[in-house]
Amino acid sequence: MSTDGRPVVFLGPSLERDVARRVLDADYRPPIRRGDLAMVPRGRPIVIIDGEFDQSLSVSPNEILSVLDAGDTVLGASSMGALRATELAVYGMHGVGWVYEAYASGLIIGDDEVALVYCPLTGRALSEPLVSIRYRLCRLRKEGLLGAKECSRVLQRARRIFYRERSLEVLRQAIVEGSGAVVAQLFFGNAAGGYLEIKALDAREALGACAAGMAQG
């Protein structure tokens, strides 16, 4: 266990570690599980991005509350971090990013929207979370490229795919079958910037926020 004063970041498939390290010099650890916070020395900022759900017991709100009560900073984003930040914002946990705001505003309710399966050896995501699909559809609707009914149709088809089986290939086929090749092309790539992984965007924002906070401190 490291004893330096760097922030501790629980990171998995949301963002590649080499990318993360360019944003924040930190003690990077695997997705958080129940009991992991007990291994973090007090006084160090904590950033929770990814966490385990069905692989192991997830980190509980009470565990995070204990850290907050001790006076330590805890920031959450992207996935498990966004969920727990939504629940614990009133107690001082900081939430960052689109996913957090979507849960905090009530746009997203189900915890399952951030669920995905990933390779434990490489950390690479093997399926697509609903939250990324929803974010992409929100962008397309805002840009006037897809209407509300079509966005809802795509989201519902994606929701019917079990999260472990929702690969990009399976998702593309589902969109083609339900809405046509033109909609699939719009979803996966166009002049607006192509398919975007919101978890990675939020993770970078969280790491940047932590770095900025440390600079100010």
Side-chain angles (χ1 to χ4, degrees), residues 1 3 16 22 32 35 37 41 66 70 77 90 95 97 100 112 119 143 150 153 171-172 180 185 196 205 216:
M1 181 176 62
T3 58
E16 295 179 0
R22 291 198 291 269
I32 194 167
L37 287 177
S66 295
V90 67
Y100 165 73
D112 64 313
C119 175
E143 293 158 6
E150 194 61 65
R153 184 179 296 114
L171 178 60
R172 182 186 293 275
Q185 179 60 33
L196 296 175
E205 183 177 346
Q216 292 172 2

Side-chain angles (χ1 to χ4, degrees), residues 184-203:
Q185 179 60 33
L186 283 171
F187 183 86
F188 286 102
N190 58 36
Y195 181 74
L196 296 175
E197 174 51 75
I198 187 56
K199 284 191 174 187
L201 296 175
D202 281 6

Side-chain angles (χ1 to χ4, degrees), residues 1-182:
M1 181 176 62
S2 174
T3 58
D4 61 30
R6 294 178 300 165
V8 173
V9 180
F10 293 95
L11 177 66
S14 287
L15 187 67
E16 295 179 0
R17 284 201 182 186
D18 59 342
V19 176
R21 289 191 178 99
R22 291 198 291 269
V23 181
L24 178 68
D25 178 25
D27 175 2
Y28 286 94
R29 304 187 184 188
I32 194 167
R33 300 178 295 178
R34 184 80 53 88
D36 283 348
L37 287 177
M39 303 300 293
V40 178
R42 297 282 69 83
R44 297 173 64 179
I46 297 170
V47 181
I48 299 175
I49 295 174
D50 293 304
E52 296 197 356
F53 291 86
D54 58 0
Q55 304 97 328
S56 305
L57 289 176
S58 60
V59 61
S60 70
N62 283 339
E63 289 177 282
I64 300 174
L65 279 173
S66 295
V67 175
L68 293 170
D69 287 344
D72 293 344
T73 298
V74 184
L75 190 151
S78 300
S79 190
M80 176 64 76
L83 294 178
R84 291 293 181 259
T86 303
E87 298 167 335
L88 301 174
V90 67
Y91 300 106
M93 185 173 177
H94 303 284
V96 173
W98 189 89
V99 177
Y100 165 73
E101 294 293 344
Y103 274 106
S105 68
L107 174 64
I108 302 177
I109 299 175
D111 291 3
D112 64 313
E113 292 223 9
V114 296
L116 55 75
V117 61
Y118 68 96
C119 175
L121 296 178
T122 66
R124 185 173 66 89
L126 302 176
S127 66
E128 295 299 303
L130 276 174
V131 69
S132 294
I133 298 167
R134 185 189 290 274
Y135 171 75
R136 179 64 175 147
L137 292 170
C138 285
R139 280 181 57 91
L140 291 171
R141 183 179 178 188
K142 183 177 181 179
E143 293 158 6
L145 297 172
L146 284 182
K149 288 185 178 180
E150 194 61 65
C151 288
S152 178
R153 184 179 296 114
V154 171
L155 185 63
Q156 290 308 312
R157 286 192 72 88
R159 192 184 296 277
R160 295 190 195 110
I161 306 169
F162 182 51
Y163 83 96
R164 288 183 170 272
E165 301 171 357
R166 199 186 299 120
S167 65
L168 284 176
E169 294 75 15
V170 170
L171 178 60
R172 182 186 293 275
Q173 186 60 34
I175 295 175
V176 169
E177 292 176 355
S179 301
V182 173

